[in-house]
Amino acid sequence: MRVLITGAHGQVGHELMRLVPAGFEATGMSSAELDIADAAQVSAVVDRLQPQLIINAAAYTAVDKAESEPQLAYAVNRDGVAHLASAAEARAIGLLHLSTDYVFSGDATTPYSEQDAPAPTGVYGASKLAGESALVAGCSRYMILRTSWVFGAHGNNFVKTMLRLGRERDELSVVADQQGCPTSAASIARALWTLAQQYRDSGALQWGLYHYSGMPACSWHGFAQEIFAQAHELGILPRVPVVHGISTAQYPTPAKRPAWSVMDCSRLQQAQQITPADWRTELRAVLLELAGQ
């Protein structure tokens, strides 16, 4: 099966290209090679490659920068998705698309399900929600996978930032009042390839909206503590820094983050037999990769 992967140089795109299963011919295109915000470019690439499936891992993900660059965020996260949806629908191509926990307000206290009403608090989340709407309106063979707190060995993310700070400092402060689910880029890629295999083998999928994130839930503070503990155990850090928990109010950012980002992933588990990965095990694999072991 021929698959077009957009955003191939991003965290998830990189893993998608690395983990291509047997029986697939994947063409990965970075944002420099394919600007999904350009409708004519999207159409031309799809015509040339003639994929049977598109996996969209392209996105504008600079959460804070989006507040001062809304037009750019919407051009990629809404318009780009609309262009892919239009190209896929016109040629009867399936489209798998990644979205985010940031479509929710973060005011909940129980895990968000696909039935819960989105209410984004910033430009990034709003632009991603607009992309979901564009996909639903423009394409009949689609699957939206909302995920959260993505980390991996490739690209910029919280794990790599913590490792850098852990080498530089004996003590640091990390937000402790935001709860979510760290999710490895590799586990997202594996979930997407599992869906692609189901589509290839059966010619159909239970299309729609699904949640997929790592387990268990934790705070950024708890995530940092686990990163340091594992990194020290593996010999990546010479010591475990002291991590002080602080409030969101003590660490102001241009974009408001959801205080609660935990998502219920049971629908994907029941419909597609895809189980959330334990992010602590996934973290160990990423740390080993970063250490070159």
Side-chain angles (χ1 to χ4, degrees):
M1 176 177 260
R2 292 184 306 281
V3 182
L4 167 61
I5 294 166
T6 62
H9 288 187
Q11 288 195 84
V12 176
H14 178 82
E15 295 296 334
L16 281 165
M17 292 306 296
R18 201 166 67 110
L19 297 169
V20 181
F24 286 91
E25 181 189 311
T27 302
M29 304 197 90
S30 68
S31 54
E33 294 164 316
L34 171 58
D35 176 8
I36 63 169
D38 183 331
Q41 211 180 110
V42 168
S43 189
V45 165
V46 172
D47 276 342
R48 177 165 58 83
L49 296 174
Q50 298 197 337
Q52 293 147 291
L53 179 68
I54 297 170
I55 303 179
N56 180 36
Y60 178 103
T61 57
V63 175
D64 288 322
K65 227 173 159 188
E67 296 299 310
S68 57
E69 293 182 344
Q71 285 176 303
L72 194 53
Y74 274 93
V76 178
N77 293 344
R78 177 194 61 201
D79 304 343
V81 177
H83 300 151
L84 289 168
S86 175
E89 185 67 10
R91 298 160 182 84
I93 300 167
L95 178 51
L96 307 183
H97 170 69
L98 290 174
S99 193
T100 175
D101 56 317
Y102 279 55
V103 300
F104 294 113
S105 67
D107 296 334
T109 51
T110 55
Y112 283 108
S113 80
E114 293 84 353
Q115 281 73 49
D116 288 319
T121 59
V123 171
Y124 168 67
S127 69
K128 290 294 287 181
L129 182 61
E132 290 185 11
S133 300
L135 181 52
V136 172
C139 186
S140 53
R141 296 174 188 81
Y142 73 86
M143 188 173 285
I144 297 165
L145 217 58
R146 285 181 185 148
T147 189
S148 62
W149 294 22
V150 182
F151 68 92
H154 178 83
N156 299 317
N157 55 65
F158 185 76
V159 171
K160 290 166 91 169
T161 300
M162 287 301 107
L163 290 176
R164 176 174 57 77
L165 293 175
R167 291 186 190 100
E168 296 169 358
R169 305 180 192 175
D170 295 325
E171 295 184 37
L172 65 156
S173 299
V174 178
V175 170
D177 59 357
Q178 292 173 22
Q179 293 284 321
C181 296
T183 315
S184 78
S187 72
I188 299 167
R190 286 193 297 269
L192 288 165
W193 279 124
T194 299
L195 293 168
Q197 285 171 310
Q198 290 175 10
Y199 183 48
R200 180 195 63 193
D201 296 344
S202 67
L205 272 175
Q206 291 187 51
W207 304 111
L209 171 65
Y210 296 89
H211 290 171
Y212 178 80
S213 57
M215 286 292 174
C218 65
S219 66
W220 289 111
H221 177 259
F223 191 12
Q225 287 181 309
E226 184 67 20
I227 292 164
F228 292 139
Q230 288 199 24
H232 181 253
E233 183 197 332
L234 293 169
I236 296 166
L237 288 179
R239 68 195 179 290
V240 175
V242 175
V243 188
H244 302 286
I246 58 169
S247 68
T248 299
Q250 290 171 280
Y251 188 75
T253 54
K256 186 187 175 194
R257 264 68 172 173
W260 177 266
S261 271
V262 183
M263 295 192 293
D264 178 349
C265 301
S266 59
R267 183 166 188 251
L268 187 69
Q269 211 164 339
Q270 287 155 11
Q272 314 290 349
Q273 286 73 57
I274 294 173
T275 308
D278 187 321
W279 63 263
R280 295 163 300 190
T281 308
E282 297 287 312
L283 172 63
R284 191 173 187 85
V286 166
L287 292 173
L288 286 169
E289 186 178 343
L290 288 169
Q293 295 176 30

